[in-house]
Amino acid sequence: MVKPKSAIRRYETQADIRKMLVGLDWTVHYAMHSFPVADLGRRLVEMNDQDIEEVKAALWAMVPQDVKDDLEKARQAKAEAEAAAAGGNAEATGEKLSENSDAESDEEDDLEFNEEEGEVVQKKPEPQRATETKIPEVQEGELTVDMLRLTLALDYFEFANEEAVAWRVDKENKRLTPSISAGKMGNNFPAYQAFHWKLSEFEKAPSKPINYVAGRDGRLYEIRENAHLKVTVAARMVPALESVTEGVSFKMDKIPGMFLKQTLDFFKHFVPEQREAFVYVARNRSTVTYELHCPEQWANRDNVDAEYPDDPERDIVLIMHSHHVMPAVFSPKDDRNDKALCVYGVFGQLDKPTIDHCFRAGFNGHYLYLNIADVFDAESTYSACTFPPEWVDRVHPYV
């Protein structure tokens, strides 16, 4: 059988090498390290965080059309050979069923005389010759060499320029060796990367081409080294990790707007004497509902101190206090106190038609600011309900 010319090409030029398909058992040797093609293939599948089948389709679209044609011809040849073999087996099975009546005479044909043993024995079946379907070499491939270059470019920017990369092909050892002829250009972890929580762990671990180490300052550092040099830089991007976005979201529903109306009515009660006040919203663990509470507190114009009850059945979700006629700005004292995992709110200029307010959430002094609509369910804001009268008796003069 004459193979298509493109299926037996020797990939003599760099342009041909870039289109060459290699198997997952190949390796790429670069910077004194070997990179399994299987690992690079996984990077290709995961690097855009798309559905695997969509990525496979995108990769297939990158394969040259003449190579696709060769693959299709090879697959058709293989399918025809398998179909022919299956048909032959079915025909042989039918003949055997039709000859059951002559089974005894057939058995005699399967016997022979063993001269050494002096007895009649069963003939040994002759080994069957397997029908081999010669598949073009390109059928064994999975990824093009240029796909591997794109994957390497995620970690080694010098691979970004395809014209700067020259490849040597070692088919016997299934190895590709790239060399860079121009200057450098500027998502399961790959086997050639290592992540460490401590620098001391990295220093004891086996060497990897690319290493990431977490620092005490909360940043990730990338470390690369060779026989004579080690360079540590703050990582600007880690392709193997997933994107994380700062934000705040309630895992339950928003807080009822009625609680906002009660809180404002309560805070406005102390505007004439310009005293601060304090309330909080808790989540009842048993009923899985929100509750608005006014604890015992001591307040004056600039401060409010409240007693937090020790209640194992409730978790504090939102803490609010007033600045009466002053602006709604978190004070340095608020910054020192607001350390728990919670939402914090402050209301000011309560004597004005438009009330000033500010909300934030966070922990350990890290804050993200929120809109009031992110916290409260506005549909029930305009309730006629006001605060319970006994709340006033819980606000004591600040000493």
Side-chain angles (χ1 to χ4, degrees), residues 77-144:
K78 184 176 181 181
E80 290 172 1
E82 291 176 349
N89 291 336
E91 184 178 348
T93 303
E95 291 176 356
K96 184 175 180 180
L97 291 174
S98 65
E99 294 174 358
N100 280 341
S101 58
D102 301 323
E104 292 182 2
S105 60
D106 289 341
E107 288 179 3
E108 292 178 0
D109 293 338
D110 291 336
L111 302 178
E112 65 180 0
F113 180 73
N114 188 323
E115 296 181 356
E116 294 182 1
E117 301 293 336
E119 60 183 6
V120 176
V121 297
Q122 188 78 24
K123 288 182 180 179
K124 294 181 179 179
E126 295 184 3
Q128 295 182 352
R129 294 184 179 180
T131 302
E132 295 184 1
T133 304
K134 196 66 174 179
I135 305 299
E137 177 188 9
V138 72
Q139 173 67 18
E140 299 174 3
E142 298 290 342
L143 300 171
T144 66

